[in-house]
Amino acid sequence: MRVIAIDGPAGSGKSTVARAVAKRMALRYLDTGAMYRAVAFAVLRNGEDPADHDYAARTARDIELDVGIDKVMVNGVDATIEIRGPEVTRAVSAVAANADVRRELVSRQREWAERNGGGVLEGRDIGTVVFPDAELKVYLTADPEERARRRAKEVTDLDYETVAADIARRDALDSGRKADPLVEAADAVIVDTTGMSIDQVVDEIEGLLLSVEEQA
Ligand code: DC
């Protein structure tokens, strides 16, 4: 099974890069952040509190989830747009800090890879927790200002200051939580994407993969 783990903070370019790597390598792609967002979406949709530990854990276990490249279905509802919206983005950190939610989603991520003979998985804990034996672990990062600029371009309805504050808040929550915090795996290759184009980053990862293959 061939697994490529791509981790890193918000705005580091993970999604764009992971998709492009999967395409070039003819591998499947999984956005694990979309899974945490989907659980937050389902909790909010039922009018419940994302910080309610047991409710969120039950939701994660019961949720019918179909995370595709361009479409995310949650309990039969197309949630593609809403899982990226401000409400879910505000709620998702509480859900992602829930150890029982994580246990369930990590097991679904492993099943997904087994079913597909591996793939490119993108998230915060892929190289540290989900697939510690991944063939290649990449930790993408970039200056906070550049990450905020990239996000501000994507979400056209929010100004730079708001996006920068949100990124700083999520960085602190993702890195500071007890359950599987965002950290570089000891054997991850750190790629600082500040000032790099997508193509440059993808080329670099392709080069890393080739050298891993040569060593094997
Ligand atoms: O990558 P993203 O912004 O869509 O991730 C949404 C949230 O989920 C973010 O707060 C971090 C969390 N997350 C996580 O804890 N573990 C993952 N493997 C992926 C995302």
Side-chain angles (χ1 to χ4, degrees):
M1 187 164 72
R2 187 163 200 213
V3 171
I4 301 172
I6 302 194
D7 292 302
S12 57
K14 279 191 317 287
S15 296
T16 319
V17 167
R19 279 164 190 264
V21 169
K23 202 168 170 196
R24 258 200 220 178
M25 302 294 147
L27 292 168
R28 298 286 302 271
Y29 158 76
L30 183 64
D31 173 3
T32 63
M35 298 172 75
Y36 290 91
R37 288 174 180 272
V39 174
F41 167 83
V43 171
L44 291 174
R45 202 177 150 86
N46 284 337
E48 300 290 336
D49 179 2
D52 180 335
H53 185 102
D54 292 344
Y55 189 84
R58 226 176 311 127
T59 304
R61 278 193 295 274
D62 295 344
I63 201 169
E64 196 187 304
L65 201 50
D66 184 2
V67 178
I69 296 194
D70 298 311
K71 196 166 166 188
V72 176
M73 298 290 291
V74 181
N75 296 327
V77 174
D78 186 342
T80 314
I81 307 282
E82 266 184 278
I83 60 162
R84 308 279 163 211
E87 253 191 292
V88 170
T89 299
R90 258 195 309 273
V92 69
S93 296
V95 169
N98 185 321
D100 290 319
V101 170
R102 302 199 70 83
R103 187 172 313 123
E104 171 64 27
L105 295 189
V106 165
S107 114
R108 292 190 189 212
Q109 289 152 20
R110 290 179 179 145
E111 276 167 23
W112 176 90
E114 264 154 39
R115 250 195 338 268
N116 291 293
V120 179
L121 288 92
E122 170 223 319
R124 304 290 193 285
D125 60 342
I126 309 301
T128 49
V129 175
V130 188
F131 284 107
D133 297 327
E135 175 178 344
L136 176 66
K137 301 178 188 180
V138 179
Y139 187 89
L140 288 187
T141 181
D143 288 350
E145 296 78 23
E146 174 136 346
R147 294 194 280 116
R149 268 197 303 278
R150 289 177 186 165
R151 268 288 150 101
K153 257 198 219 157
E154 281 169 18
V155 285
T156 44
D157 52 337
L158 295 175
D159 62 21
Y160 171 81
E161 299 304 328
T162 309
V163 174
D166 178 59
I167 285 200
R169 181 185 68 87
R170 284 210 290 147
D171 279 358
L173 289 171
D174 287 345
S175 305
R177 69 170 179 237
K178 270 207 212 93
D180 310 337
L182 171 67
V183 286
E184 308 96 89
D187 51 352
V189 181
I190 299 177
V191 179
D192 185 342
T193 68
T194 312
M196 281 173 88
S197 71
I198 300 294
D199 279 345
Q200 285 172 324
V201 179
V202 177
D203 286 346
E204 181 158 341
I205 294 175
E206 199 177 0
L208 290 169
L209 261 174
L210 288 175
S211 61
V212 167
E213 276 164 17
E214 272 165 22
Q215 280 163 25

